[in-house]
Amino acid sequence: MNKLESKLGASVAAVVLAGLAMAAPRPAVAQYAFSTVDFPGAASTDLLGFTTRTMVGQFADADGNTHGWLFSAKSGPFQQFDAPGAWFTTLSAINHRGDFGGVYRDDLDHPARRHGFIVVNDVLTTIDYPGSARTTIVQMNDRGQAVGIGRIPSEGATTPYGFLWQNGVFTDVSFPGAFGTGLDGLNEQGDVCGFTTDEAGGLTHAMMRLNGVFSHVEPPGAIDSIALSINDRGQVAGWYDDALGNIHGFLYYQGVFTTIDVPGSLGSEVTSIDNNGVITGDYIRADGADHGFIGTPEK
């Protein structure tokens, strides 16, 4: 889940690292070269998943309809993707093999309801968390694992249930003592990140499970936060709201928080970080629309 689900404007889904009795978090300054990514002709674009060969996300057309998109080094320029029979599709999950996934909605009478899905070898598999008509698949790895969120009940103020899915089997992942848990990020080792909630429909707090150990990590001054991505080095990326309601992206690594604000933006979030420290995400410009970005570390 990303802040784009309630977020920076309107779209669909922060930071954590293991808290092994670390020292107090320290702020840092990020140095990145930013490039904007927009789906051609779109009213708004969100970049939600990234590997060195493929980008995925969602875009809104001129009529306000939401579609998934891919940009692949293998298949070339931007491609629109809509799940069969769906009136809404978004893509956020991508692995190095080119498998991808996300969310689709096909029930206009109950627009909050949604299905998670993955596409492997051009075959779409729908994934619905048991007992939920509101399931989200957020990320997947090369081992065939996917993480996501099932919400119960499927309408109104809901409780999130984080899960890991593989070969049709759901494994619940719950932060000890939390009212609810959602999973948004997954690396090749099976470490995960996401959020906890205090109550149904309440604020979210960034969390992670690293080497089997759960911990909460929120940027200093954050009111609301979610961890959206974790790479194989244990670096985490996501977003947070400050006390004034401003939305910032951030990174976390070994006790150091780094705020990410795209220059000139009204709000930013980081949706992915790869093993080389390249980040992707979304930001809002003065035009009020979402735009994707790629951030490359400057030496």
Side-chain angles (χ1 to χ4, degrees):
M1 177 182 124
N2 58 2
K3 187 63 174 177
L4 309 173
E5 202 171 343
S6 58
K7 109 174 184 187
L8 306 156
S11 303
V12 165
V15 114
V16 307
L17 225 258
L20 305 174
M22 293 180 176
R26 305 184 298 277
V29 177
Q31 300 293 332
Y32 286 90
F34 292 99
S35 301
T36 295
V37 177
D38 283 323
F39 190 93
S44 67
T45 302
D46 296 314
L47 203 173
L48 304 179
F50 168 79
T51 70
T52 54
R53 297 184 59 81
T54 309
M55 297 183 292
V56 298
Q58 67 179 44
F59 74 93
D61 63 25
D63 296 321
N65 301 307
T66 300
H67 311 272
W69 64 265
L70 303 92
F71 189 110
S72 170
K74 178 180 179 181
S75 56
F78 291 95
Q79 300 175 57
Q80 179 175 326
F81 179 86
D82 293 301
W87 57 270
F88 173 104
T89 303
T90 182
L91 303 181
S92 59
I94 183 69
N95 65 19
H96 295 92
R97 300 183 305 197
D99 307 326
F100 61 92
V103 174
Y104 70 87
R105 304 182 189 185
D106 59 358
D107 187 347
L108 284 170
D109 292 330
H110 300 90
R113 298 182 182 181
R114 65 194 69 170
H115 309 275
F117 72 93
I118 60 172
V119 176
V120 178
N121 296 326
D122 296 324
V123 176
L124 187 150
T125 299
T126 295
I127 299 173
D128 287 321
Y129 183 78
S132 175
R134 189 176 173 185
T135 300
T136 302
I137 290 293
V138 189
Q139 193 49 269
M140 62 195 304
N141 63 18
D142 295 343
R143 298 165 57 188
Q145 298 173 317
V147 292
I149 307 158
R151 293 184 178 273
I152 300 174
S154 299
E155 314 281 347
T158 64
T159 300
Y161 293 84
F163 64 83
L164 187 148
W165 179 96
Q166 186 171 25
N167 297 326
V169 177
F170 291 89
T171 301
D172 290 321
V173 178
S174 299
F175 192 101
F179 180 87
T181 303
L183 297 188
D184 292 271
L186 171 70
N187 66 16
E188 294 305 320
Q189 289 88 255
D191 300 316
V192 298
C193 64
F195 64 93
T196 65
T197 60
D198 300 325
E199 59 184 351
L203 295 175
T204 60
H205 307 283
M207 75 88 196
M208 82 177 309
R209 186 184 70 181
L210 183 68
N211 297 324
V213 179
F214 287 93
S215 61
H216 267 125
V217 181
E218 277 196 308
I223 304 301
D224 208 16
S225 64
I226 291 181
L228 294 174
S229 178
I230 179 170
N231 67 17
D232 296 338
R233 298 172 59 192
Q235 296 173 306
V236 185
W239 64 262
Y240 72 96
D241 285 338
D242 63 24
L244 297 177
N246 299 311
I247 302 165
H248 309 272
F250 73 96
L251 310 178
Y252 179 83
Y253 185 55
Q254 295 184 343
V256 179
F257 286 102
T258 303
T259 293
I260 303 293
D261 289 315
V262 176
S265 67
L266 302 180
S268 304
E269 69 170 1
V270 182
T271 58
S272 185
I273 181 167
D274 76 1
N275 291 336
N276 296 313
V278 176
I279 60 175
T280 62
D282 319 293
Y283 70 98
I284 294 181
R285 282 201 301 232
D287 61 5
D290 296 345
H291 302 270
F293 74 81
I294 298 175
T296 304
E298 294 183 327
K299 304 298 183 182

